[in-house]
Amino acid sequence: MTSPHRLSLAGIGCGARTRTYTKLAMETPERYKINAAADPVRERTEAVRSYAPADEQVSVRLFENAEALLAEPKLADVAIIGTQDNYHYIPCQKALRLGYDILLEKPIAQTLREALQLRDLAEELNRRVLVCHVLRYTPFYNTIRDIITSGELGDIITFNANEGVGAWHFAHSFTRGHWGNSNTSTPMIVAKCCHDMDILYWLFGRKCESIASFGELTFFRKETLRSPRPERCVDWTTPVGEDPWDARKYATDAEARRWLRMVYDRADEATEEEIYEWLRTSPWGRDYLQCDNNQPDHQVGIMRFEGGMTGTFTMTAFEQGRHIEIYGTKGKLRAGVFYKNNGPGEITVQDHFGGPVRVIEVPEADGGYAGHGGGDWGLVNELYDDMVNVPTPADMKTSITQSAHSHVMAFAMEHARLTGQVINVADFERLVLEGTLQY
Ligand SMILES: NC(=O)c1ccc[n+]([C@@H]2O[C@H](COP(=O)([O-])OP(=O)(O)OC[C@H]3O[C@@H](n4cnc5c(N)ncnc54)[C@H](O)[C@@H]3O)[C@@H](O)[C@H]2O)c1
């Protein structure tokens, strides 16, 4: 591909996600350029600057926060909004008005109403907004989508989809971490599973019409504690790791240290003593049964889509990885981590009459990147096309117009869980937009 134009980037909120994207972008400096970065933590903006080619680093402008960067006239083609969930709407809206196109981390905004308003503003201003639904860019889901569109399965009648968040990940992110409390982030089904809602909509190309849901917080809560114990794991007297969710493992266990890297800037060089000290005050040092979390650790949804297709979705803390079964008039597809680990393969297709099981190999993630199954790399790769090569926002592989439906589905599923009702998705969207329902 020829690259007549280097797409310039301004990182707003230079935490784990923005650093991942800017680092990947700068592996193809003939296509991308970093012009600016904003974050209250100086090391993070400096890290973003360090990804630029050495002779360009001096011209990367660093700002203390989003407000300072957005007080300037437009500094780059694309603003990456990588701040936390409760601070997407304001910087995104400002950046759109300043003329930026946007790479916007999910969730689009903290409330559905704001998400829909951003969608409408982008449409009104004719700006390009790519929401980071990274699964769309994975070889795994692209392979499944190709099989569906090839007609090999016939008409799709029903599916079961599962998102196994993972027991440590759930405690790290959705109990102790940024997304443990829905009041300061978004409901679990939005924060984690807007990815799943988006991929279902994208795989089948049909909108969801109605939803019911159940789910609750059963295990990661105070009631699970059998006897009192200190609120900080560093004060426990049990052997380290006896309890599988012991936060002291951040200092002692290689896998836990990988998670630490996402929340502690000095994770790589820190000694065990330093990490223990950090655990005394950090949210990640808390007993996972004595936090202020309220996210359900399991939730199921049942859905009806256009044309009568039905499906179930399960989110649980107590499984690792996604898997899906899709049933069509000609055949069935089974795919995901469970099938990869238990055979015969990561994706299989079989007809209904005992025909051979076809095992489909998933191509290696381009560039060998494992992040989100290759999705991080795929998204950065596609960003250039979506921002530079396609003629209009409507031609993007992923535009906010499409991505917003995942948020309508996810918030509708939360409304169904909280009310016990079956939710008509189109009505729900209308009621939220007009302000009758508060989501
Ligand atoms: N697409 C995905 O798969 C995926 C995965 C994880 C997280 N996310 C989403 O990405 C977003 C960022 O997550 P993260 O893990 O990188 O979080 P993070 O906490 O590492 O990064 C957020 C950054 O924003 C900075 N910040 C705070 N106030 C700011 C301000 N006023 N101006 C500028 N910067 C400010 C913080 O200092 C921090 O560095 C979240 O919305 C999260 O839900 C998406």
Side-chain angles (χ1 to χ4, degrees):
M1 180 174 57
T2 56
S3 306
H5 172 70
R6 285 178 81 197
L7 189 72
S8 56
L9 308 172
I12 295 178
C14 299
R17 300 307 302 160
T18 298
R19 293 203 305 276
T20 296
Y21 296 135
T22 46
K23 195 171 185 187
L24 286 171
M26 291 320 296
E27 294 193 358
T28 52
E30 69 284 6
R31 295 195 300 165
Y32 293 109
K33 185 171 184 303
I34 299 174
N35 281 5
D39 197 295
V41 183
R42 181 76 181 186
E43 291 79 17
R44 298 183 188 166
T45 49
E46 279 173 357
V48 169
R49 173 154 66 187
S50 75
Y51 307 145
D55 60 334
E56 291 181 1
Q57 289 182 7
V58 63
S59 58
V60 178
R61 295 186 58 190
L62 306 189
F63 295 87
E64 275 185 5
N65 51 42
E67 303 75 50
L69 189 153
L70 294 169
E72 299 274 333
K74 185 181 170 201
L75 297 174
D77 299 316
V78 173
I80 303 175
I81 310 279
T83 40
Q84 273 303 341
D85 298 12
N86 59 5
Y87 194 56
H88 287 183
Y89 177 71
I90 291 174
C92 185
Q93 201 201 49
K94 276 193 193 158
L96 283 170
R97 292 195 191 283
L98 280 170
Y100 287 95
D101 291 318
I102 312 280
L103 179 66
L104 175 61
E105 256 309 349
K106 48 60 51 184
I108 296 172
Q110 194 178 12
T111 68
L112 178 58
R113 189 149 190 250
E114 288 175 346
L116 296 173
Q117 286 170 347
L118 286 179
R119 174 196 68 185
D120 295 347
L121 183 64
E123 285 174 4
E124 183 193 318
L125 299 173
N126 201 30
R127 299 261 191 282
R128 297 165 195 235
V129 180
L130 195 165
V131 178
C132 299
H133 279 142
V134 287
L135 298 182
R136 284 192 183 210
Y137 303 92
T138 58
F140 174 76
Y141 281 110
N142 276 278
T143 304
I144 295 178
R145 192 167 187 253
D146 288 346
I147 293 168
I148 294 171
T149 50
S150 77
E152 184 176 358
L153 303 175
D155 294 333
I156 306 303
I157 304 298
T158 191
F159 68 84
N160 303 317
N162 284 263
E163 154 68 309
V165 179
W168 180 271
H169 184 184
F170 192 89
H172 172 89
S173 297
F174 305 103
T175 304
R176 294 173 165 131
H178 296 305
W179 306 283
N181 194 301
S182 60
N183 299 318
T184 50
S185 56
T186 45
M188 182 67 191
I189 202 72
V190 179
K192 187 76 178 99
C193 307
C194 68
H195 281 305
D196 300 275
M197 301 300 125
D198 180 68
I199 211 70
L200 294 172
Y201 171 44
W202 182 73
L203 281 178
F204 301 117
R206 307 187 204 188
K207 284 198 164 177
C208 182
E209 291 184 337
S210 44
I211 291 184
S213 180
F214 300 94
E216 50 206 85
L217 176 58
T218 302
F219 178 73
F220 290 91
R221 58 186 190 139
K222 293 185 180 68
E223 289 76 1
T224 303
L225 257 186
R226 295 217 183 91
S227 54
R229 64 184 180 188
E231 288 179 14
R232 295 261 158 203
C233 296
V234 285
D235 297 323
W236 291 359
T237 51
T238 49
V240 176
E242 185 179 276
D243 182 308
W245 289 280
D246 186 343
R248 292 173 291 177
K249 284 168 71 178
Y250 282 116
T252 59
D253 180 284
E255 174 61 12
R257 189 95 53 134
R258 194 173 70 75
W259 288 94
L260 183 69
R261 234 176 261 143
M262 294 177 212
V263 294
Y264 187 47
D265 293 314
R266 292 180 38 77
D268 282 331
E269 59 265 36
T271 60
E272 279 191 19
E273 290 70 33
E274 178 181 334
I275 296 171
Y276 265 56
E277 211 39 51
W278 178 78
L279 291 172
R280 290 195 181 285
T281 53
S282 151
W284 287 275
R286 292 177 296 173
D287 176 1
Y288 62 97
L289 297 179
Q290 301 187 72
C291 294
D292 58 348
N293 58 308
N294 66 356
Q295 302 281 23
D297 48 25
H298 59 113
Q299 183 167 356
V300 295
I302 54 175
M303 293 163 273
R304 181 187 193 279
F305 287 74
E306 290 169 333
M309 182 183 78
T310 54
T312 64
F313 172 73
T314 298
M315 177 285 297
T316 178
F318 303 104
E319 166 64 302
Q320 182 77 47
R322 293 181 165 90
H323 64 94
I324 189 165
E325 293 91 35
I326 302 172
Y327 304 101
T329 50
K330 291 187 181 166
K332 56 205 167 213
L333 176 147
R334 298 187 171 104
V337 175
F338 174 84
Y339 297 103
K340 186 177 182 178
N341 294 340
N342 297 287
E346 193 167 4
I347 302 179
T348 64
V349 173
Q350 190 183 24
D351 70 21
H352 299 304
F353 304 100
V357 175
R358 187 164 87 84
V359 180
I360 296 112
E361 296 300 333
V362 178
E364 278 291 305
D366 283 327
Y369 286 104
H372 287 122
D376 291 349
W377 189 89
L379 180 140
V380 171
N381 189 39
E382 196 79 27
L383 174 71
Y384 188 87
D385 244 16
D386 268 357
M387 294 292 171
V388 178
N389 289 336
V390 303
T392 72
D395 301 305
M396 295 168 68
K397 174 161 177 165
T398 312
S399 76
I400 190 169
T401 304
Q402 301 148 15
S403 302
H405 185 62
S406 65
H407 286 50
V408 177
M409 288 171 68
F411 276 102
M413 200 173 281
E414 180 66 355
H415 187 50
R417 181 179 82 88
L418 295 177
T419 61
Q421 295 169 5
V422 178
I423 307 302
N424 178 300
V425 176
D427 287 350
F428 175 76
E429 178 173 347
R430 184 176 46 76
L431 293 170
V432 170
L433 248 185
E434 70 188 28
T436 310
L437 270 177
Q438 308 294 318
Y439 277 96

